[in-house]
Amino acid sequence: MSPPTLVYDDDCGVCSHAARFVDRRAAIDIVGFSELTDALRARLPPDYEDCAHFVTDETTYSCGAAMERAYERTGLLPSQFFPLFRRVPGYVPVREFVYRVVASNRPLISQLLP
């Protein structure tokens, strides 16, 4: 079983910051859009440049689900919390809404990052 891969927009400061955070804390391969192989690109949706993706041997998660799966591997929170979060009614739409808010405000958010 190969390690999962986080695919992200390496032209985006916020995205790169998040990818470095995950890379320092988890056994995950990190690949920017500019470094995609044909095999990895084939595992992504056609509109892959719209958000991040978390690719495992079994499946591909996109957008908020991708970042959730990546952060789950960091140990930031006990891993038991994430399956519980996913069962909370309304959690998934809120997760995706937050992802979209961050994605839509990347220039502003990048100014707030160290």
Side-chain angles (χ1 to χ4, degrees):
M1 194 161 152
S2 58
T5 302
L6 177 63
V7 179
Y8 72 102
D9 181 355
D10 48 353
D11 274 341
C12 164
V14 173
C15 307
S16 296
H17 185 82
R20 282 191 304 273
F21 177 87
V22 170
D23 192 32
R24 286 191 304 268
R25 292 166 176 81
I28 296 174
D29 292 335
I30 308 295
V31 176
F33 290 162
S34 68
E35 301 171 326
L36 283 175
T37 63
D38 290 339
L40 187 53
R41 187 177 287 112
R43 301 275 318 271
L44 302 177
D47 59 349
Y48 74 88
E49 291 177 308
D50 287 349
C51 64
H53 307 280
F54 189 77
V55 182
T56 69
D57 288 337
E58 298 82 32
T59 194
T60 299
Y61 301 93
S62 297
C63 305
M67 294 312 298
E68 174 193 293
R69 298 289 172 153
Y71 285 132
E72 182 176 11
R73 304 276 181 126
T74 66
L76 186 64
L77 293 174
S79 62
Q80 306 91 304
F81 284 170
F82 291 94
L84 293 174
F85 293 157
R86 292 180 199 120
R87 291 197 298 241
V88 172
Y91 168 74
V92 170
V94 168
R95 176 193 68 204
E96 295 306 315
F97 173 77
V98 169
Y99 182 90
R100 285 290 158 211
V101 166
V102 171
S104 297
N105 292 286
R106 293 182 295 180
L108 173 65
I109 294 169
S110 67
Q111 292 177 1
L112 302 175
L113 295 174

